[in-house]
Amino acid sequence: MLKARDVTVRFGGVVAVGGMSIDVHAGEIVGLIGPNGAGKTTFINAVSGTYVPTQGTISWRDEDIVGHSPSRLARIGVGRTFQNVASLNDLTVLDVVKVGRSVHGHSRGLREFLCGSRADDEALTERLLEPLGLADHRHSPLQMLSYGHRKAVDIARALASEPDLLLLDEPVAGVAPAEAFALAGFVKQVRDLLGCAVVMVEHKMDVVMSTCDRVVVMAEGCKIFDGSGEAAQSDAEVRRVYLGD
Amino acid sequence: MRKSLVIAAFGALLASPSNAVSADINVCIWGTITGPDALVNGMSYGARDYFEYLNEAEGGIEGHKVHTVLLDGRYKLDEEQKNYRRCVSEENAVFINGWSTGAVKSLRDQIQSDAVPFMTDSHSSEVLDPKKFPYIFMAGPTYEQQILIGLRSAAKAGGKRVVIMHANNEYGRAPVEVVRKSGAIEEMGLELVDQIEFPFDTQDLTGQILRVKNIDPDLVFVQASTPQMLVVLRDAAKVGLPASLFMGNMYNISPAIPEQLGASAEGFRSIQLYADFGSDIPAMKDINKYGESNTIEKRDTYYMKGWYQGIAMSTAIRNAVKKAGGVPDDLVAFRNSVRDEMENLPSLDTGGITPVVNYANHQGPTQARISEIKGGSYTAVGEWIDAE
Amino acid sequence: MLDVSGLSVRYDSVIAALEGIDFEVGEGRIVALLGPNGAGKSTLLKAIAGMLPFEQGEIASGKAVFDGVLLNGKHPAAITRSGIALVQDGRQCFRNLSVGENLKAASFRHSKGAEDRLQLVLTYFPILEEFYARPAGVLSGGQLQMLVIGMALMIQPRLLMLDEPSLGLSPVMVQSVFEIVERLHQDLGMTVVVAEQTVPRLMEIADDVYVLSRGHSVLHAPPDEIDEDRLQSLYLS
Amino acid sequence: MSLRQIIILITVALAVMVVLPGLGRYGAYIVYVVAIASIGALALNLLIGYCGQISFCHGGLLGVGAYAAGNIGNAGQDMVVALVGAGIVTAFVSVMIGLPALRLRGLYFAISTLAAQFILEYLFRLIEPWTHGVSGLLIQPAPFFGLDLSNDRGYAAIAVGLLVMSLIAVSRLLRTDLGRRFILIRDSEIVARGMGVNVARTKLWAFAISGFLAGMSGGLLAFTSRIAAPEAFEIALSVDYVAMIIVGGLGSLPGAVIGAGFVVLLPEVAQRIGETFGAATQTAALREMVFGLLIILFLIHEPRGLNSLASRAVRRLRRTSGPLSNNKRSSASDLEMTQARL
Amino acid sequence: MFVLQLAVAGIAIGSVYALIALGIVLIYKCSGVVNFAQGGYAMLGAFITYGLTSVGLPSVIALVLAIAVMGGLGALTQILVLRPMLKAPVVAVMMATLGILITFRAVCLLIWGPDQIGFPALFPIGAIELSGIFMTYNYIAAFLLSAILCAGFLAFYHYTPIGLMQRCTADNTRAALAVGIHVSNQVTIAWTASAMLAGLGGALLASLNGLSLGLSNIGLVAFPVIVLGGMTSLPGAVVAGLVLGILQAVTDGVLTPAIERFLREHTDIYSVGTLQQVIPYALLVLVLLVRPQGIFGTKESERV
C-alpha cells in the first residue's frame, strides 16, 4: 500500500532524513522507533505531506504522492496524529473530531448551518468517543482535558476521516501507563474493524511490543532494522543506537 | 470601580438631552475645532462669540437669551452628520451653522426636509441654489467665482500659462473641475497647462512643486486651506520658487502664513472677502468690547467672517421674533419664519466686515478683492471686484 | 553544592512534568541524569536554571538550593551569575552573530578574567578559533555543540549542566564531547551534570547516576550498580 | 448559540424596537450607528478573532459596500437588493484582498491589508463613474421590502434587525465544519494543514463571509448617511474597528457588539462630559485621551476584552463558578498567543 | 537635472524615514512587537523640541534635551504598557501601541492645539545651488544628521557591548537568558533607543516640513519601509527608507505627470489623483508577493 523509497529531507544543510525506505501493507501495524533526532517525525511529516522530501519517492496505492498537500492526502485516506495537540483553544472534543471527519470530503456545511447537528453528534460519540473514554467530555473545550485525553481526541480526530493509512506520532507519549495501554488496544481494535494500516512512532517499547506486528528502527535519518519486535530487542545494532554499546 | 465609571458615563449620555431645553432661542454651530482644517476655525468661534456678545451687551435677542452650542466636526463626515442630527432634533436649533463641503452636500436634502435654516461655511456652488435649497445660506462668493477672480487678475497682469493645484477632497477638487470644464479659463485667454492634485493632509509637496517648477507657469492657483498652503509655500522656497507665483482663495488669509514662513511668504496673494481682524470698522469695536471679558480664540479674518455670519443669522432671528411678537412656541414655524426673514434681509449692515449685503440670492456679499503679503502682513492690492 | 528537594513542575498550570524530584549534586562530581524521552530531564535542568517562566512553566512545589541560596523564583540572569551554566538542548546560540561575538556575549556579566577564559576556551576548542569571525550559523552540529559549551565556560560556572549534548551527533563527535567534559572535570575541577538518553561513555566518567522516568525519579545509584539490563528494563519495559 | 440565547437576543431586539419611537432622532441615530458598527465588528471578528487573519482594511471594505449599495439603490432597486448586492461585491473584493494571505503570514499579511486600505482609499477617489470621486456618491432613499423606512427610526429598526440576523447566522456558522476550520486555522495553521484542512480555501471563505457582512454594514451606513464619500472610509475607521473587536473581545460574538458600543459611545460620552467643563479644544483633546488611555488600560488588564469581563461578572452573579476556572483557560491560550508572536 | 533635483529631495526625506524605521525594526527584532506608535514618538519629539525652544532654550540644546526626554518616555511606555502585556495576543499588543499613538496625539492637541506651528529653525536658513540643483541647508543638514545617526547607530549596535546584548536578545531569547542577559531590560533599552531615534527624526522632519499633528502619520509611511527592508534588517530599513523617499519624489515629480499627460492625450481621464499615496504600498504588495520575507529578510523554516 505505502511504498517509500530513498526518502531524504533536508533543512538548510541539515539532513533530517537520509535515504529512508519502507513498505507498509494493508491492515498492518508498524512501529517506527529510534532514538531522539533519528528523523522519525520528519519522515511521518514527509509521508503526510507536511514536508516535501528533497529526494526519493513515496507512493500510496501505486499513486505518487510526493508534493501532495495534506488536505488532498486526507481525502485519499492518509490520516495522522500529532506529537503535540496542546495548542488548540476553544474547540470542544466533538468539534475537533468533526474537523477530522470533514476533511474526508463530504462536508455537511449547509445542513449543519440550517438544522444543527444533534443527531450527528450522537453517532460520532457512539462510534468514536465512547471507546476512547471521551464520551463524557464531548462538550469540553480541548484545553480543559488532561494530556492523555487530548492525545485520545487527536486519535479520534484522525479516525473520523476514516483513513486507510493511519500515521500515529507518539500517540501515548506523556500519557499515564494504564491509559497508554488502553489507547494502544484501541488502535488494534480500529485496525481490526477498519482494516487500515497503521504506522506508529513511539518510544514506549512495551506499547510497541504489544501493539505492532512489525518494528522498523531508524537512526540518523535512515532505517537500520526491519523485523519483528523480539528480533529488534535482541538486534546488536538496535541495542547500540539505544544504549550506545 | 470600572463598572461604576461605565454606569456614570452612560448616565451622562442619557441625561444630557435635558440641558438644551431651558433657553428660548437655540443656535447650533459646528466647526473644525480639531482636525486638518482647524487653523481657519475662527469662523465658528466668531459666530458663537457674536451670539454671546448679544447676550452680554443686549441681553440676547429682543430680551430672549440665545443658547449657542459649538460642536467639533473634526472635518469628518460621520462626525458632522452626527452633529447635524444633534443640532436639529436635540438642541432644537433655529439656525444651524455647519462646516465642510462634503457634509453640507450630503445633508442638503435632509436640511430641506427638516426645514431648518442653515448657514454653510462651505462656499461650494453645489449647495447654493435659492430654489432647490431654500434653507441653505452662504456668506460670500462661491469657490468657483473666487478661482475666476484670481485667474482674471493674472490675465490682466499679462500672464498666460496657469497651473491649478488642489487638495484631493470635495473642497479641493470639485470647484476646480467645474471651472476647468466650463471653458472659462480659455475665454480669458489663459492656458491651463497642468492641474495637480495632492493629499489634503499633506506634509510634503516637494515633488509636486518641482513639477510646477519644471512647467514654469505664470500663475499657480491653489485651491486648498491654510495648512496646505503653508506646505506649498514652504516647499516652493525649498526649490527656489517665489511665493509671488502662487495665489490662494478665501481660506488662505491667515496670519500663520507670514508668521511661519517669513520672507518666503512675501508676495503671496489670496482672495479676501472679509475685513481683517483689527481693521478700523464699527464691528471691531464690538469685538474689542467682547474681548475685554472673554478670550478670542483666533484673531484673523475668519473670526470676522464668523462675526458677520452671527450678525446675519441674529438679524433674521430678531426680525422673526419681532414679527411674531415673541419667540414662537412652534419650532417649525419659528424656523420657517427665520428662513423667510433671512431671505428678505434688507441691505444688512455688517459693521464694515463686508460691503452692505442682501440675502435674496442666499449668498450675501458677492464681492472680493486680492490681498498680497507685503512686509509680513496682508495688504489689499486692488479694489473690491464683484464676482458676478 | 546543589540540592533539589521535592520539586514538582507544571506547564500551563495543568500539565505535570515533574513530581517530587529529589536531586543532589556534590562539589566536583559528574552526575549523569538519565531517562527516556519525555522523562523530565530538560525540565529539571530548566527549573534549576530559572528558565521555566519563559516557557509557561512553573515550580509548583519543592525547592532548589545552590550553595545555600534558594534558586526558586530567581531570574536566569541572577542564577547564571551565581555560577550555574546550562547548556540547553537544541544548541541555543546566536546564529547570526560571529563565533567570537557569541563567546563575548556569554562573558558580559562576568567580565573579570574574560580574556583568560576566552584563551582557555579556544585551547579546548581550537575549531572555534578557526571560525572565530564567521557567523555561528555556518557551524556543523558538533561544532555548535563545542560553541555552546564554550559559551557556558565563558560564564565561569562552578556547576555546568549539559542537556543531551550528544543528540544528533555522530558517534565520533559524541566521544569527543564527553572527552571534553572529562577534561573540564579533571583540569578545572568543574562540577558537571549531564542529561542523556544513551549512556555508555557517560557511565565511564560519571560519579553518580539519577534515572528519571515520566516525571518521577526512579533510581539513584553509583554507576557501577547500574548495568545495562537494569537500565534496559527501566527504559524499554 | 443556544436556542435560549437566540430567544433572549430577539427579545432584546424587539425591546429596542419598542423603545425606538420614544427615542429622539438623535437617540435612534445612536442606536443604528452602534448596530451598524456591530455588524461590521462582527465581520472583522470573524476574520481576526475566529480565523486569525489580522486585517487593517476593514474601513475600506465598508466603503466598498457603501458604494455598491449606493449604486444599486440609486438604480432604483429595493434596499434589500442593494444590501445583498453590496454584500456580494464586498465579499468578492475581500477575497481579492485575502489572496495574499495564502502566501503571507501574520504581520506580513496584516501589513499587506494596510496596503489594501490605502489602495482602496485611492480608488474611491479615482473611479469617478462609480464613486463620484471626492464629491462622494449621493444616495437616494430606497424602500425596504417596499416600505418607506427612510428615517432615523426606520434605519434603527432595520439595523437592529440585521444585527440580530447576523449574530444568529455567525453563531450557527461557527458550529459548522467551516466554522470549526476557521478556529483551527487561527489556533494553528500548521496543525490545521497537517490535519488535512484545505487552509487556502478555508481562509478565502473567511474573507468572503466577513466581506459579505462588512458589505452589508457599509451599505446600511451609506443609506443612513445618504452619501458614500472617501473620507468616511479611511484608515482611522479600520483602526476603530480593530479597536472594537479587541476591546470587546477577540473571538466573541457579544464582544463585537460590546466593543462597537464602547468605541462608538465612548467619544460621545467623553464629549458630553467635556462640554460641561467648557473649552472646545480641550474637550476634543480629552476625549481622544480618554479613548487612548482606556484602550491601553483595558488591554493591560483585560487582554481578552470586555466580554470576558462581562461574562466573569455574570458568572459571579450566578455564583456557579465551577471547577473550570477562567484562569486555567486563559493561560493555555496565552501560550498560543505568545507563540504566535514569536 | 530635474530628476537629480527630485532625488535630492527624496534622499533628504528618505534618510529621515530610515531613522524612524530603524526604531520600529529595533523593537520588532527584540520583542516581536510592531510599534504603530512610532509616528507618535516622532511627533512628540518634535513638539517637545518646539516647546523647549518656546520657553527660550537655544534650538540645539532643546533638541538634545527633547531626545533625552523621548528616551525616558520610550522606556516608560515599555515598562508601563508593554511589559504587563507580555502574554497578550499579538493584535492586542498592536492595538495597545495604537492606543499610545492616540494618547500622544491627544496630549499634543491639549498642550499645543490643533494648528500648524512654525518650527524653530534648527539650521541656518538659505540654500546653495549646485549646477542647477537647489539644496536648502535644511535638506543638507537633515540628510547629514540622519546619515551620521544611522551610521552611528548601526556602529553602536554592532561594536558596543550593549549593542551586542541587543543583538543577542534579538537573535535568540533562550540563549540570551542562558548567558545571563536580562532580556526584558534589553527590550526596554530598545524602546528607549527607538523613541530617541523617532524623536530626532520627528524634529528633523518638522524642520523640513513644519510641525503639526499630521506628523504622526509618518509612522504609517514607515511600515512599507520596514517590510520592504525585511522587518528584521536594520541596514535593510535604511536602504528601503532611501529608496522610498526617492520613489515618492519621483512619483510626484515624474511618474504622475507622465501618466497624466498620457491619459489626457489619449483618454477622457484628466487626473490620476494622489498617486504617491499608493505607490509605496503597491510596491510593498508586489515585493511581498515575490519575496514574502521582504528584500533583506531571511526566511524562517517552520516545523511541526
Side-chain angles (χ1 to χ4, degrees):
Chain A
M1 298 272 281
L2 179 74
K3 240 194 203 95
R5 287 288 171 275
D6 198 25
V7 174
T8 302
V9 182
R10 286 199 191 90
F11 296 110
V14 183
V15 179
V17 175
M20 176 72 185
S21 300
I22 194 173
D23 282 300
V24 180
H25 307 291
E28 188 180 33
I29 302 183
V30 177
L32 187 57
I33 63 173
N36 254 358
K40 305 177 299 280
T41 297
T42 310
F43 177 67
I44 292 285
N45 284 336
V47 174
S48 66
T50 311
Y51 297 155
V52 179
T54 27
Q55 231 176 294
T57 59
I58 307 172
S59 67
W60 165 242
R61 290 177 178 152
D62 301 323
E63 183 187 351
D64 182 18
I65 56 168
V66 169
H68 284 193
S69 70
S71 63
R72 200 182 130 64
L73 286 171
R75 270 202 305 276
I76 60 172
V78 179
R80 68 165 296 181
T81 68
F82 295 88
Q83 251 180 53
N84 220 329
V85 290
S87 63
L88 301 180
N89 291 322
D90 295 341
L91 292 174
T92 65
V93 171
L94 262 175
D95 284 337
V96 174
V97 173
K98 285 179 186 167
V99 167
R101 184 193 54 190
S102 73
V103 302
H104 196 52
H106 35 81
S107 176
R108 294 158 175 74
L110 198 59
R111 216 185 67 205
E112 260 192 308
F113 182 76
L114 296 175
C115 320
S117 54
R118 206 153 287 179
D120 236 34
D121 291 359
E122 292 304 319
L124 274 177
T125 309
E126 196 184 328
R127 194 162 59 86
L128 288 168
L129 298 182
E130 296 271 10
L132 280 162
L134 290 168
D136 295 341
H137 300 288
R138 59 183 183 272
H139 294 303
S140 312
L142 213 56
Q143 65 203 352
M144 294 199 181
L145 300 185
S146 73
Y147 191 70
H149 276 142
R150 285 192 227 175
K151 285 257 161 190
V153 173
D154 200 30
I155 293 174
R157 192 266 310 153
L159 285 172
S161 71
E162 294 166 18
D164 297 317
L165 172 63
L166 183 58
L167 305 165
L168 301 175
D169 194 355
E170 305 203 14
V172 302
V175 176
E179 283 180 56
F181 277 99
L183 271 182
F186 179 67
V187 169
K188 250 181 154 163
Q189 269 180 35
V190 164
R191 188 268 314 264
D192 295 343
L193 210 70
L194 298 178
C196 63
V198 179
V199 176
M200 179 165 146
V201 171
E202 191 44 70
H203 284 284
K204 293 213 173 67
M205 289 302 283
D206 43 3
V207 171
V208 172
M209 293 305 161
S210 65
T211 319
C212 299
D213 306 321
R214 184 154 66 92
V215 171
V216 172
V217 184
M218 276 182 85
E220 288 166 34
C222 56
K223 185 166 75 174
I224 58 165
F225 176 86
D226 190 341
S228 74
E230 291 75 32
Q233 275 185 316
S234 54
D235 185 83
E237 181 73 0
V238 174
R239 291 178 71 87
R240 189 192 66 78
V241 301
Y242 260 98
L243 303 171
D245 276 343
Chain B
M1 204 285 282
R2 253 181 268 164
K3 205 192 286 172
S4 61
L5 189 72
V6 172
I7 291 168
F10 274 89
L13 182 71
L14 293 176
S16 54
S18 60
N19 58 15
V21 188
S22 55
D24 296 337
I25 301 173
N26 297 299
V27 174
C28 193
I29 302 161
W30 83 79
T32 299
I33 296 170
T34 61
D37 213 11
L39 201 51
V40 295
N41 191 51
M43 46 195 178
S44 51
Y45 291 126
R48 181 204 48 192
D49 289 357
Y50 181 75
F51 285 107
E52 294 298 322
Y53 166 77
L54 281 184
N55 283 341
E56 281 177 21
E58 301 174 13
I61 296 175
E62 298 290 300
H64 301 277
K65 287 266 182 213
V66 183
H67 177 248
T68 29
V69 182
L70 175 58
L71 300 172
D72 184 8
R74 293 198 273 168
Y75 215 101
K76 279 177 72 183
L77 201 62
D78 52 343
E79 202 70 27
E80 296 191 60
Q81 295 234 358
K82 188 163 74 189
N83 288 341
Y84 171 76
R85 282 175 172 80
R86 192 174 151 188
C87 290
V88 171
S89 74
E90 204 184 314
E91 306 293 349
N92 295 318
V94 70
F95 218 126
I96 300 176
N97 180 191
W99 193 273
S100 80
T101 303
V104 178
K105 230 177 110 178
S106 73
L107 289 169
R108 60 190 186 189
D109 292 339
Q110 289 185 56
I111 292 169
Q112 179 68 19
S113 58
D114 290 330
V116 55
F118 192 95
M119 176 67 78
T120 163
D121 283 324
S122 161
H123 288 219
S124 162
S125 64
E126 295 188 54
V127 294
L128 178 70
D129 190 331
K131 292 215 173 57
K132 264 166 78 187
F133 311 119
Y135 288 89
I136 301 180
F137 299 91
M138 198 178 274
T142 62
Y143 301 132
E144 291 82 354
Q145 289 168 332
Q146 295 176 40
I147 296 174
L148 293 177
I149 289 172
L151 294 182
R152 198 164 288 135
S153 78
K156 248 184 216 164
K160 188 106 191 78
R161 292 152 51 85
V162 295
V163 168
I164 300 182
M165 294 179 78
H166 62 85
N168 68 339
N169 59 0
E170 171 78 12
Y171 160 65
R173 193 197 280 174
V176 174
E177 292 285 283
V178 170
V179 169
R180 178 171 59 80
K181 286 175 183 160
S182 72
I185 300 175
E186 286 73 20
E187 278 170 27
M188 281 181 232
L190 295 172
E191 184 196 356
L192 180 68
V193 283
D194 206 350
Q195 182 183 322
I196 302 171
E197 181 164 313
F198 57 82
F200 188 65
D201 58 354
T202 186
Q203 301 288 315
D204 176 22
L205 291 172
T206 318
Q208 287 85 345
I209 297 292
L210 281 169
R211 178 171 165 186
V212 170
K213 192 181 185 185
N214 205 26
I215 296 167
D216 192 23
D218 300 317
L219 176 79
V220 181
F221 191 90
V222 183
Q223 171 76 9
S225 191
T226 300
Q228 299 84 51
M229 205 54 176
L230 284 167
V231 180
V232 168
L233 293 180
R234 183 179 291 117
D235 289 347
K238 272 187 212 164
V239 301
L241 284 180
S244 57
L245 185 64
F246 296 88
M247 185 186 279
N249 71 1
M250 60 181 284
Y251 288 127
N252 302 116
I253 300 191
S254 167
I257 292 178
E259 261 169 35
Q260 294 188 20
L261 298 175
S264 31
E266 281 299 300
F268 168 68
R269 285 163 294 164
S270 51
I271 310 278
Q272 182 171 22
L273 306 182
Y274 315 100
D276 292 320
F277 190 93
S279 51
D280 184 21
I281 51 171
M284 203 58 220
K285 294 196 181 71
D286 299 341
I287 294 174
N288 286 334
K289 201 165 132 203
Y290 176 76
E292 280 165 16
S293 51
N294 298 280
T295 31
I296 290 174
E297 300 267 355
K298 309 258 173 179
R299 296 163 173 276
D300 54 21
T301 184
Y302 306 111
Y303 188 84
M304 306 301 284
K305 181 194 179 201
W307 194 268
Y308 147 67
Q309 286 171 327
I311 293 174
M313 291 189 278
S314 66
T315 310
I317 295 171
R318 181 176 297 116
N319 292 348
V321 172
K322 268 186 194 158
K323 208 173 226 173
V327 174
D329 288 332
D330 182 8
L331 185 61
V332 179
F334 192 19
R335 282 174 177 166
N336 276 313
S337 150
V338 168
R339 190 213 78 86
D340 295 343
E341 292 305 323
M342 188 76 193
E343 204 165 63
N344 297 327
L345 277 185
S347 36
L348 174 71
D349 176 13
T350 60
I353 297 176
T354 65
V356 171
V357 297
N358 74 74
Y359 256 100
N361 58 0
H362 280 228
Q363 197 178 6
T366 50
Q367 287 164 315
R369 64 181 176 189
I370 298 197
S371 190
E372 183 179 327
I373 296 181
K374 278 183 186 159
S377 63
Y378 287 90
T379 318
V381 290
E383 286 309 300
W384 291 101
I385 308 164
D386 198 300
E388 288 172 339
Chain C
M1 188 181 213
L2 176 72
D3 195 358
V4 174
S5 54
L7 192 77
S8 297
V9 169
R10 287 208 197 121
Y11 282 109
D12 290 352
S13 327
V14 277
I15 304 167
L18 291 178
E19 288 287 355
I21 299 289
D22 295 317
F23 180 65
E24 199 181 327
V25 180
E27 179 102 48
R29 295 175 81 86
I30 295 182
V31 176
L33 184 60
L34 302 179
N37 248 2
K41 307 181 295 287
S42 297
T43 303
L44 177 55
L45 298 187
K46 280 176 192 159
I48 294 166
M51 303 283 279
L52 284 180
F54 300 91
E55 302 182 5
Q56 270 62 48
E58 57 177 357
I59 295 179
S61 62
K63 56 184 181 176
V65 177
F66 182 64
D67 281 347
V69 181
L70 187 67
L71 297 179
N72 294 31
K74 274 193 162 184
H75 192 273
I79 293 175
T80 320
R81 241 167 308 171
S82 68
I84 298 179
L86 170 63
V87 175
Q88 305 176 77
D89 57 336
R91 306 192 237 295
Q92 303 292 336
C93 63
F94 311 110
R95 291 179 193 243
N96 295 316
L97 273 56
S98 74
V99 169
E101 284 172 332
N102 268 280
L103 294 172
K104 267 189 213 144
S107 61
F108 263 135
R109 299 281 174 193
H110 324 272
S111 48
K112 222 168 85 186
E115 264 314 300
D116 298 342
R117 283 202 307 283
L118 183 60
Q119 287 315 314
L120 184 80
V121 168
L122 293 180
T123 45
Y124 273 105
F125 308 106
I127 186 81
L128 297 184
E129 182 141 40
E130 199 176 306
F131 282 89
Y132 196 76
R134 312 216 12 218
V138 306
L139 298 182
S140 72
Q143 292 163 340
L144 274 178
Q145 191 63 54
M146 306 286 178
L147 174 62
V148 291
I149 295 176
M151 283 165 72
L153 292 180
M154 292 303 289
I155 292 168
Q156 198 174 19
R158 287 179 299 124
L159 173 63
L160 177 65
M161 306 193 291
L162 305 171
D163 193 0
E164 301 211 39
S166 71
L167 190 64
L169 296 187
S170 66
V172 187
M173 268 298 167
V174 175
Q175 290 296 328
S176 53
V177 165
F178 283 115
E179 248 161 54
I180 298 278
V181 170
E182 201 176 3
R183 272 175 64 196
L184 288 174
H185 178 247
Q186 282 167 359
D187 301 354
L188 307 173
M190 196 167 287
T191 314
V192 186
V193 176
V194 186
E196 272 296 352
Q197 280 189 75
T198 58
V199 270
R201 184 73 179 97
L202 180 55
M203 297 301 261
E204 285 169 25
I205 58 172
D207 302 310
D208 234 343
V209 176
Y210 281 83
V211 180
L212 294 188
S213 180
R214 292 170 198 172
H216 294 82
S217 178
V218 291
L219 184 69
H220 172 211
D224 44 357
E225 275 182 28
I226 299 172
D227 56 22
E228 259 172 42
D229 286 340
R230 197 160 170 198
L231 260 187
Q232 194 179 2
S233 67
L234 286 171
Y235 273 39
L236 301 182
S237 67
Chain D
M1 198 176 279
S2 69
L3 194 64
R4 212 186 71 197
Q5 282 167 311
I6 292 178
I7 292 169
I8 292 174
L9 192 63
I10 292 177
T11 317
V12 170
L14 285 176
V16 170
M17 304 242 185
V18 170
V19 174
L20 267 179
L23 290 173
R25 280 181 61 193
Y26 180 76
Y29 173 81
I30 294 287
V31 167
Y32 72 70
V33 167
V34 171
I36 293 173
S38 299
I39 300 173
L42 193 65
L44 189 62
N45 213 348
L46 190 66
L47 199 60
I48 300 185
Y50 288 102
C51 197
Q53 307 302 305
I54 300 171
S55 163
F56 282 104
C57 62
H58 207 62
L61 279 183
L62 292 182
V64 173
Y67 283 113
N71 278 305
I72 299 171
N74 284 353
Q77 297 292 333
D78 195 280
M79 201 162 141
V80 181
V81 178
L83 290 181
V84 172
I88 293 170
V89 171
T90 314
F92 179 74
V93 174
S94 178
V95 167
M96 291 293 118
I97 292 169
L99 281 177
L102 308 185
R103 206 165 140 75
L104 304 176
R105 287 279 161 72
L107 290 173
Y108 286 96
F109 174 69
I111 286 173
S112 87
T113 62
L114 202 61
Q117 169 69 39
F118 286 110
I119 292 169
L120 281 177
E121 276 178 30
Y122 172 73
L123 291 178
F124 292 158
R125 287 193 161 83
L126 190 69
I127 311 178
E128 297 251 355
W130 204 58
T131 64
H132 288 230
V134 291
S135 311
L137 178 68
L138 289 175
I139 295 158
Q140 301 310 316
F144 185 82
F145 277 122
L147 299 170
D148 177 22
L149 292 177
S150 59
N151 57 64
D152 287 326
R153 286 180 194 124
Y155 290 139
I158 296 172
V160 171
L162 264 182
L163 171 62
V164 170
M165 279 169 60
S166 313
L167 277 171
I168 295 173
V170 171
S171 76
R172 297 301 298 237
L173 170 76
L174 292 170
R175 292 266 147 252
T176 65
D177 284 336
L178 191 61
R180 286 186 282 268
R181 288 185 205 177
F182 289 166
I183 298 173
L184 194 61
I185 287 179
R186 174 197 70 189
D187 284 353
S188 171
E189 205 174 314
I190 299 167
V191 167
R193 178 168 295 132
M195 283 185 179
V197 170
N198 189 330
V199 172
R201 197 194 301 163
T202 309
K203 276 185 183 175
L204 292 185
W205 268 112
F207 282 102
I209 296 170
S210 165
F212 185 84
L213 283 175
M216 292 230 294
S217 162
L220 215 47
L221 196 64
F223 278 113
T224 58
S225 56
R226 314 222 357 210
I227 189 170
E231 299 106 83
F233 306 106
E234 288 183 341
I235 178 75
L237 188 66
S238 298
V239 170
D240 278 352
Y241 272 93
V242 177
M244 283 177 205
I245 62 162
I246 293 175
V247 169
L250 282 173
S252 139
L253 296 183
V257 182
I258 297 173
F262 182 85
V263 170
V264 173
L265 294 181
L266 178 71
E268 198 58 20
V269 173
Q271 165 93 24
R272 293 306 177 99
I273 294 172
E275 275 171 22
T276 57
F277 292 107
T281 314
Q282 278 82 339
T283 300
L286 286 174
R287 179 184 59 196
E288 296 291 302
M289 202 179 303
V290 167
F291 186 55
L293 286 177
L294 268 186
I295 283 182
I296 295 173
L297 281 178
F298 269 127
L299 291 176
I300 291 174
H301 290 291
E302 206 56 59
R304 314 251 110 218
L306 278 175
N307 179 55
S308 123
L309 195 73
S311 57
R312 217 182 308 155
V314 167
R315 213 173 305 155
R316 204 171 298 155
L317 282 178
R318 285 191 195 154
R319 295 166 198 278
T320 55
S321 52
L324 306 170
S325 86
N326 214 52
N327 276 344
K328 241 180 216 174
R329 290 198 56 170
S330 61
S331 75
S333 28
D334 285 343
L335 169 69
E336 172 263 326
M337 293 305 187
T338 318
Q339 284 168 344
R341 194 179 329 152
L342 296 172
Chain E
M1 198 53 57
F2 177 51
V3 175
L4 270 181
Q5 173 82 66
L6 280 171
V8 166
I11 288 172
I13 291 285
S15 58
V16 183
Y17 289 169
L19 209 54
I20 289 168
L22 269 183
I24 300 180
V25 173
L26 191 64
I27 288 173
Y28 180 73
K29 267 173 86 95
C30 76
S31 62
V33 171
V34 178
N35 180 16
F36 281 101
Q38 191 75 348
Y41 287 95
M43 172 191 67
L44 202 55
F47 268 112
I48 292 176
T49 312
Y50 166 77
L52 290 173
T53 54
S54 61
V55 298
L57 288 175
S59 52
V60 178
I61 294 176
L63 180 62
V64 172
L65 260 178
I67 292 171
V69 172
M70 288 313 295
L73 208 62
L76 205 65
T77 39
Q78 198 274 331
I79 291 168
L80 291 182
V81 180
L82 279 304
R83 269 198 197 178
M85 294 194 68
L86 257 185
K87 292 177 179 175
V90 61
V91 252
V93 180
M94 281 191 197
M95 196 62 226
T97 65
L98 281 169
I100 295 175
L101 176 64
I102 294 169
T103 311
F104 280 3
R105 283 180 63 113
V107 168
C108 290
L109 181 63
L110 190 65
I111 303 177
W112 288 287
D115 299 340
Q116 264 76 355
I117 289 170
F119 197 71
L122 294 177
F123 314 107
I125 296 164
I128 48 171
E129 205 168 345
L130 250 181
S131 56
I133 301 171
F134 198 83
M135 283 183 278
T136 60
Y137 294 129
N138 241 337
Y139 263 167
I140 300 170
F143 170 70
L144 285 181
L145 215 54
S146 307
I148 291 169
L149 258 135
C150 283
F153 179 76
L154 289 179
F156 171 82
Y157 197 67
H158 278 275
Y159 300 110
T160 64
I162 293 181
L164 182 54
M165 284 199 264
Q166 283 283 314
R167 283 185 293 147
C168 290
T169 309
D171 193 304
N172 184 340
T173 320
R174 269 178 79 184
L177 281 170
V179 298
I181 294 174
H182 227 292
V183 169
S184 42
N185 289 352
Q186 290 303 316
V187 177
T188 309
I189 292 174
W191 276 80
T192 311
S194 161
M196 290 168 84
L197 287 173
L200 178 73
L204 287 178
L205 216 55
S207 80
L208 286 178
N209 294 339
L211 178 56
S212 72
L213 295 174
L215 190 62
S216 60
N217 295 343
I218 187 70
L220 286 176
V221 181
F223 279 105
V225 175
I226 62 160
V227 177
L228 288 176
M231 296 286 262
T232 54
S233 166
L234 292 169
V238 174
V239 173
L242 289 173
V243 168
L244 201 69
I246 295 171
L247 188 73
Q248 277 187 337
V250 169
T251 307
D252 288 346
V254 181
L255 197 60
T256 311
I259 295 174
E260 288 186 343
R261 210 173 306 129
F262 178 83
L263 290 174
R264 284 169 197 175
E265 265 169 39
H266 299 280
T267 68
D268 294 337
I269 301 167
Y270 193 78
S271 163
V272 291
T274 51
L275 196 59
Q276 78 275 18
Q277 282 188 312
V278 288
I279 283 287
Y281 290 98
L283 183 74
L284 174 81
V285 172
L286 282 182
V287 168
L288 281 182
L289 287 179
V290 179
R291 269 185 73 86
Q293 69 276 27
I295 298 173
F296 296 88
T298 45
K299 204 169 182 173
E300 287 157 36
S301 64
E302 49 180 71
R303 308 197 68 163
V304 174

